[in-house]
Amino acid sequence: MEFTESEFLIETVVPEDELIISRTDLSGKITYANETFCEISGYTQEELIGQPHNIVRHPDMPQEAFADLWQTIQNKKQWIGIVKNMRKDKGFYWIKAIVSGVYKNGELVEYKSLRTPISYEEKLETQRLYDTMRAKNGEKIRRVIYE
Ligand SMILES: Cc1cc2nc3c(=O)[nH]c(=O)nc-3n(C[C@H](O)[C@H](O)[C@H](O)COP(=O)(O)O)c2cc1C
């Protein structure tokens, strides 16, 4: 499938009263996605289950954010962060994610993520921050930053 630049610019706004939930195995492959996750991301459950969670990764996300996420959850701590994700149709949506371990008899067996909407101001602020992080680390960015 090919997409024009403008399709990257279409935002799906996450409703206030919805929770986007997914779980992964310890390697980051999706083991569960709720209905809201499917609706917002534009994928069916069948398309998501078994896929690496970077299936929804947006090119604007800095690598550093995910390195921090993995380091945090592998140390059995909770990671809270703002994430811009890419839909199947290449549009995007912003969320705040709380990612942590799922334990069975005290043993870490999976990871889970619960996501809620963020404000317009938080989106703008985080886009700027992530653009700066990407530029600093030599990753591709789609606009010029004057600083
Ligand atoms: C429970 C859980 C949920 C995740 N949710 C997302 C997500 O919504 N979007 C995303 O881009 N990466 C998410 N990740 C991180 C991905 O596994 C992956 O590290 C990230 O997309 C970066 O991709 P890369 O490792 O191929 O660079 C999640 C990881 C876990 C363990």
Side-chain angles (χ1 to χ4, degrees):
M1 243 188 288
E2 277 194 19
F3 293 93
T4 60
E5 188 78 9
S6 64
E7 277 160 304
F8 277 99
L9 302 176
I10 298 172
E11 176 171 13
T12 297
V13 175
V14 178
E16 284 291 336
D17 53 351
E18 301 273 0
L19 205 53
I20 303 174
I21 303 172
S22 64
R23 288 199 308 267
T24 71
D25 64 14
L26 297 180
S27 75
K29 283 209 183 88
I30 299 172
T31 55
Y32 170 81
N34 74 343
E35 221 170 279
T36 306
F37 189 109
C38 296
E39 269 173 41
I40 304 289
S41 67
Y43 288 101
T44 63
Q45 276 195 347
E46 293 72 41
E47 288 173 314
L48 291 171
I49 308 295
Q51 295 303 311
H53 216 309
N54 67 8
I55 187 170
V56 290
R57 186 190 176 159
H58 195 282
D60 283 358
M61 284 300 292
Q63 267 167 19
E64 216 179 318
F66 295 117
D68 182 54
L69 182 158
W70 278 100
Q71 204 191 355
T72 306
I73 60 174
Q74 280 168 350
N75 283 320
K76 304 197 173 177
K77 291 192 198 124
Q78 176 176 273
W79 185 85
I80 300 180
I82 294 177
V83 181
K84 183 180 191 176
N85 275 333
M86 190 160 77
R87 288 170 46 91
K88 186 181 179 183
D89 65 8
K90 305 290 179 203
F92 67 92
Y93 59 99
W94 283 99
I95 44 88
K96 176 182 274 179
I98 303 177
V99 188
S100 58
V102 178
Y103 294 85
K104 214 173 183 177
N105 304 321
E107 194 196 339
L108 178 66
V109 288
E110 286 197 315
Y111 295 115
K112 64 174 187 291
S113 178
L114 311 177
R115 308 171 181 88
T116 50
I118 59 168
S119 69
Y120 179 68
E121 289 72 25
E122 281 177 296
K123 292 175 194 173
L124 281 185
E125 197 182 304
T126 312
Q127 179 76 59
R128 283 199 203 104
L129 170 69
Y130 287 171
D131 283 350
T132 310
M133 285 165 71
R134 291 181 62 80
K136 196 183 77 195
N137 292 328
E139 295 174 82
K140 258 198 206 154
I141 56 161
R142 291 184 293 118
R143 66 189 183 88
V144 178
I145 300 171
Y146 299 99
E147 267 176 323

